[in-house]
Amino acid sequence: RSRATGLTWMRVPERMQNEIETERLVLRWFREDDVQALYLLGSIPEIIRYAQSKPLASLEDARALLHAAPFHDYAIHGYGRFACVWKATGAVIGFSGVKYVPEFADTELGYRFLPEYWGRGLATEAGEASIDFARSSVGLTRLIALVHPDNTASARVVTKLGFSVEKQVRYSGLNGVDVN
């Protein structure tokens, strides 16, 4: 445990998967060369409408986020969001995976995809793989999903994945919106 931060430093277990294959996707840890994809996922208004308060303004912002979020999470927790690669083209088209959320002292399943890939069941496909990873590789027995009350598509996905509304909570990541 670090006295300066209060965080527990973890070594990623040798058996920890950092790549998962589904029928149409490869879920893998983010890499430096994923900055452009992360920028798109964090700046396109219809993607972030229910997921983040402020769009990424530049590739530099995306690079900073890459280091502050996925890379940090991999190093500290041994897990984090996976880049979702479309097998047919090799392009990063979204992300999915579990992330520890200190504000709730819980681990959340989350996902985002480029709009042209919406409505194809990819969030469910990637979500199932992410949940299996969380159970088998990380040993988690509980996950949460934070869903904006107006995001009916995401609510359907998490319901298919076995989640149900436990309560509404205020979430600082969305300017203090109450999420399910």
Side-chain angles (χ1 to χ4, degrees):
R1 185 172 280 271
S2 164
R3 289 194 175 130
T5 63
L7 295 172
T8 301
W9 293 87
M10 294 178 51
R11 212 175 103 80
V12 177
E14 298 292 327
R15 64 174 174 63
M16 185 69 71
Q17 275 184 285
N18 59 15
E19 186 171 292
I20 301 167
E21 195 166 326
T22 69
E23 181 183 340
R24 298 173 289 175
L25 300 169
V26 173
L27 282 67
R28 61 156 171 80
W29 282 10
F30 275 96
R31 304 184 303 225
E32 281 288 341
D33 61 348
D34 294 327
V35 169
Q36 177 67 36
L38 188 61
Y39 171 72
L40 292 174
L41 293 165
S43 64
I44 297 173
E46 65 249 60
I47 295 175
I48 65 170
R49 171 174 60 180
Y50 300 124
Q52 81 190 46
S53 299
K54 184 178 161 191
L56 295 174
S58 66
L59 287 175
E60 291 75 30
D61 286 352
R63 187 176 319 286
L65 178 62
L66 195 60
H67 286 269
F71 292 172
H72 173 267
D73 293 340
Y74 304 152
I76 300 300
H77 303 292
Y79 61 89
R81 303 284 199 235
F82 289 106
C84 293
V85 178
W86 186 240
K87 283 183 181 179
T89 63
V92 175
I93 62 163
F95 67 71
S96 181
V98 294
K99 171 184 178 54
Y100 182 75
V101 182
E103 180 174 348
F104 300 112
D106 229 328
T107 301
E108 177 215 20
L109 172 69
Y111 42 82
R112 284 187 203 175
F113 288 90
L114 296 172
E116 57 267 35
Y117 293 91
W118 292 357
R120 299 184 187 194
L122 294 173
T124 303
E125 182 177 324
E128 287 172 345
S130 296
I131 290 168
D132 288 345
F133 166 81
R135 286 184 181 139
S136 63
S137 292
V138 182
L140 296 175
T141 58
R142 174 182 160 78
L143 290 175
I144 63 170
L146 302 172
V147 180
H148 191 288
D150 296 336
N151 192 344
T152 56
S154 193
R156 279 192 304 272
V157 169
V158 297
T159 298
K160 281 186 218 171
L161 293 171
F163 290 83
S164 60
V165 177
E166 187 177 84
K167 61 184 171 181
Q168 272 202 336
V169 293
R170 175 91 8 137
Y171 180 43
S172 67
L174 285 171
N175 287 333
V177 168
D178 289 342
V179 296
N180 294 324

